Amino acid sequence: MIRRARIALGGVAAKPWRARDAEAALEGGPVSPETFARAADMALAAAKPSGDNGFKIELARRIIVRALQLASDGTPPAMPALPASVFSTAPMGGDHAA
Amino acid sequence: MPLEPTSATPQRRHGSNAGQPLTRRDGVLKVTGRATYAADNHPEGMLYAVTAVSSVARGRVTALDVAAAKAHPGVVEVLTPSNRPPLAQDPDQKMGPFGFRVEVLQNDRVRYVNQPIALVVAETLEAATQGAALLNPQYEVEPARTGLQDGERFTPKAVGVGGPPSSAHGDLKAGFDAAARIVEAEYTTPSQYHNAMEPHAVVAQWDDEYLTLDMPNQALVMSCAAYAAYFGVPAENVLIRSPFLGGGFGSKAIINGPQLLAILAARMLRRPVKLVLSRAQMYGPVGHRGRTWQSLRLGLDGEGRLTALHHRALSATSSFDEFLEPAANASLPLYASPAILVEHEGLRLDIGTPGPMRAPGEASGSAALEVAIDEAAATCGMDPLAFRLNNYAETDPADGRPFSSKALRECYSKGAERFGWAGRPLAPRLMRDENGLLVGWGMGTAVFPCPHFPAQARATLRADGTALVETAGVDMGQGAWTALAQIAAEALALDPDKVELRSGVSSLPDGGVAGGSGHTASAGLALHNAGEDAIAKLADLAITNPASPLFGAGNVGVVARSGRLHRLDDEARSESYTDILARSGGAEVVGTGIMARDEATVAAYAMYSHGAVFAEVKIDPDLGQVRVTRLVGAFAAGRIINPRLVRSQYLGGMIWGISFALLEEAIADRRTGRIMNADLAEYHVPVNADAPSLEAILVPEDDPYVNPLGVKGVGEIGVTGTVGAIANAVWHATGVRVRRFPIRVEDLLARDDAD
């Protein structure tokens, strides 16, 4: 079960913001792809594109789902090459080897 | 990242110092901070200049608050169109093959963002910067023309540096009529900026009618002539010192307005003046790679052979000058087609004039061509390598001339073997890695011509057995000091340690232009000939002197080896350089040489460097993030003078290809024409993490025709082929054919999972 959730988005609009409705919706819910997708939809429900940035709405939705997946998986043994990436290349430091 | 040579270190050749992977002569100076770049010079009494630049793309400057700027403490002078001293050469006229119309406060017109509209000179950089800010320019603004929708199209007289705007051979219509399939697509490439680490800088000093310039410069002697013309002094009165360049990539071969203004200010104020452009100010007056809109149409017969190839390019230039990215010409030398037509059109926009930027035309044209070839292979259901071999050009496709050498087949096979190309599935989106990432493999062919530039050199054999060799060449970081010294040392039959190279100063014999990937061949050939001339003169001293063991060897000849001359017919009879010179009174022997080739041979052969690049990408299926995980390039460029430096050139070119394919783009605001990412935070270039595994294979190639050294160019070819290889790998990973560079996350997000 999700006890607490915090979602902040940056780089997709004029200023960063917290997705408080989505956070609230997550809390108390089960850890599942469906819960994550619902929260992501909620976080972007009011988003409006301007000009060429329409893709960022769908990208943000997918990144929220990915971030929630990563958060629920716990600290990875290796740091991904990009924050939202599943590329695992550089060890986190310390001995995480099983 | 496997940066070490993948092949074994070459054997030390007897009698030759070339071919060895020597480290850079200037390397220690650079890594210890002792290499002085232009902006490191601070002559006594030096003033600082800062350009005030336009923030609008088109219009007129209606007011400048010169009084406010002049009132600022430390400000010495403000140059504007109303007080700018005259020039002896009209800046609106283009001079020479690399001449551009320059913006030097001719009038109040504004033609692009970042155009200089005033120059503030002060006792400190801070005062000059503040003075420029206080000018508070007012404009009469006209609408900016920023793209296809509002630019003015025109038919160009030339593309690139004096290249033909169109070329045709064969019957295009018949070729398309005979085609079983036709592949047709449009491709775009963005504005790219050179972004050399070292900004354009100059320290200008006048001594009466003599001008000394410390500035990074890719064409020393040619630039002296241009500055002499602008300032009405003899060319020999202008001295340019350019020992080190922090990158040039074409942008430092060209005279630009801000630097001319700084030199003018130094003359006007009778004090040395330094000007260093800020990063943002480099987006405008110092050239860039212009945008292109390209279309390719390929006719194919039932066996996957080209029947016709039509490549058109619309290339952007400024409203007031022309440099058109000669992109379509990339389709001339590579694939066998009975009919080829390449055409260019120009588009005038309110931008600074584009210029040559690493592989101008070759890079942008190759990007489109190699993707089109991949599309054609897919249409024919053929492996992209098999398709390329199926359309391999045995002679120059454009005019039927034989190639001076072409080891492209070996490049294909060696690159494919090293990469592990065999077994690649034909269809896209079939490969995944252990983390579920999409994996794709793509390839491209690399090709680059072999231009040569006039060059001169001098070689002096000294009494102590060492030599001094001189040419006004340019080390832009590519290692010219090292490679040129190796060539000279070989001609002089001396160890490179015994050869001092003087270069990078315009008072030396003209070393030509460091451009077109032709510097090693051009300046190197001049040095080689100077060395041979010096040896011949030394031999004359020996064979005409009865006291020498070589006396009378004139008929049989002598050979130089390791600082000694030997009789050809009896190598036991020999004499050292030092002994010969000592007997002649300790005099030095001076030889001279020029870049000289057999012109009939040059005309008879098509001359190109070739290569094959193989790319692997991994892509996050949900987020569209692309990583180039492997790049293998195999290149054949004639004789390799220094494999370490050449490998670096190839790797650098391939990294530039990653940059082109996935990162670089200057984005102009469509409303104002202002570049929104004119800084290195937002104008993306690759970092190490973007290039995890790179490998360059040096494919042996002997070229008896290109020049007496057998040397071809290696500097720019790495960009070509690589861009297409990455784009094709992206398609192979995702099934999405992206025809707009750079390839963006959003291009790969939109995909519906249904094929």
Side-chain angles (χ1 to χ4, degrees), chain A residues 22-88:
Chain A
E23 291 172 0
L26 282 168
E27 289 177 7
V31 174
S32 73
E34 294 74 24
T35 314
F36 298 160
R38 211 161 39 242
D41 286 343
M42 198 174 283
L44 277 305
K48 289 190 185 64
S50 68
D52 296 331
N53 67 357
F55 75 94
K56 287 192 174 181
I57 296 173
E58 177 58 21
L59 181 60
R61 192 177 281 125
R62 295 188 193 184
I63 284 177
I64 290 172
V65 171
R66 174 67 57 80
L68 291 168
Q69 275 169 357
L70 290 172
S72 63
D73 288 347
T75 306
M79 184 71 127
L82 291 167
S85 168
V86 289
F87 289 77
S88 295

Side-chain angles (χ1 to χ4, degrees), chain B residues 238-614:
Chain B
V238 182
L239 179 72
I240 300 179
R241 296 185 291 219
S242 181
F244 304 102
L245 287 86
F249 314 121
S251 75
K252 289 170 180 165
I254 286 161
I255 309 290
N256 63 69
Q259 291 185 335
L260 269 182
L261 286 172
I263 302 167
L264 256 181
R267 188 184 224 186
M268 179 181 178
L269 300 169
R270 300 171 183 279
R271 285 173 69 177
V273 169
K274 179 202 278 201
L275 173 92
V276 181
L277 294 188
S278 70
R279 181 64 53 183
Q281 289 175 344
M282 291 164 68
Y283 287 71
V286 294
H288 69 281
R289 191 195 302 282
R291 291 169 75 182
T292 71
W293 294 260
Q294 302 178 52
S295 67
L296 272 135
R297 191 160 189 251
L298 279 59
L300 299 153
D301 70 13
E303 272 75 54
R305 288 195 178 81
L306 289 165
T307 61
L309 171 53
H310 187 190
H311 191 162
R312 286 178 294 159
L314 174 64
S315 304
T317 188
S318 65
S319 65
F320 55 91
D321 202 353
E322 290 89 43
F323 182 92
L324 301 183
E325 187 78 358
N329 290 349
S331 283
L332 287 173
L334 201 45
Y335 297 108
S337 174
I340 300 178
L341 174 62
V342 301
E343 297 176 290
H344 293 85
E345 198 181 354
L347 181 72
R348 294 203 181 280
L349 301 176
D350 295 314
I351 56 174
T353 307
M357 176 164 148
R358 208 166 184 189
E362 291 89 1
S364 47
S366 163
L369 173 65
E370 291 303 317
V371 174
I373 289 291
D374 203 65
E375 300 197 44
T379 299
C380 296
M382 290 177 70
D383 173 83
L385 175 53
F387 181 86
R388 283 172 172 83
L389 289 169
N390 208 33
N391 289 282
Y392 194 86
E394 302 293 350
T395 57
D396 187 333
D399 58 24
R401 284 183 302 170
F403 290 102
S404 60
S405 61
K406 183 177 179 180
L408 178 55
R409 271 206 184 81
E410 292 73 15
C411 295
Y412 283 141
S413 63
K414 289 207 160 90
E417 185 188 5
R418 182 77 193 172
F419 182 84
W421 181 260
R424 171 189 176 276
L426 274 188
R429 216 178 167 91
L430 290 180
M431 301 199 298
R432 297 251 182 176
D433 78 352
E434 64 280 9
N435 294 315
L437 297 173
L438 298 166
V439 178
W441 290 353
M443 68 166 297
T445 309
V447 63
F448 199 86
C450 301
H452 287 60
F453 298 99
Q456 305 166 4
R458 186 164 55 226
T460 305
L461 281 168
R462 293 158 161 163
D464 63 359
T466 66
L468 170 66
V469 297
E470 299 166 290
T471 189
V474 180
D475 199 322
M476 300 199 280
Q478 80 277 42
W481 279 19
T482 312
L484 293 177
Q486 284 178 265
I487 291 171
E490 181 190 50
L492 292 163
L494 287 172
D495 190 278
D497 292 343
K498 292 194 168 169
V499 176
E500 178 190 351
L501 174 78
R502 281 190 198 150
S503 190
V505 183
S506 64
S507 52
L508 299 171
D510 183 1
V513 182
S517 301
H519 196 40
T520 306
S522 304
L525 193 48
L527 283 163
H528 173 87
N529 289 339
E532 285 205 330
D533 187 41
I535 291 295
K537 286 175 174 163
L538 184 74
D540 276 348
L541 290 179
I543 62 184
T544 55
N545 192 317
S548 169
L550 300 171
F551 177 65
N555 289 333
V556 294
V558 297
V559 62
R561 288 213 179 94
S562 303
R564 299 182 72 84
L565 294 183
H566 301 257
R567 272 184 74 111
L568 262 180
D569 62 342
D570 179 5
E571 297 220 0
R573 292 166 69 180
S574 71
E575 190 169 30
S576 71
Y577 298 177
T578 48
D579 286 350
I580 298 169
L581 288 168
R583 191 185 308 105
S584 312
E588 295 176 339
V589 167
V590 180
T592 58
I594 62 168
M595 193 290 293
R597 300 191 290 167
D598 184 316
E599 289 308 318
T601 305
V602 170
Y605 289 93
M607 299 174 175
Y608 294 92
S609 299
H610 291 94
V613 182
F614 297 82

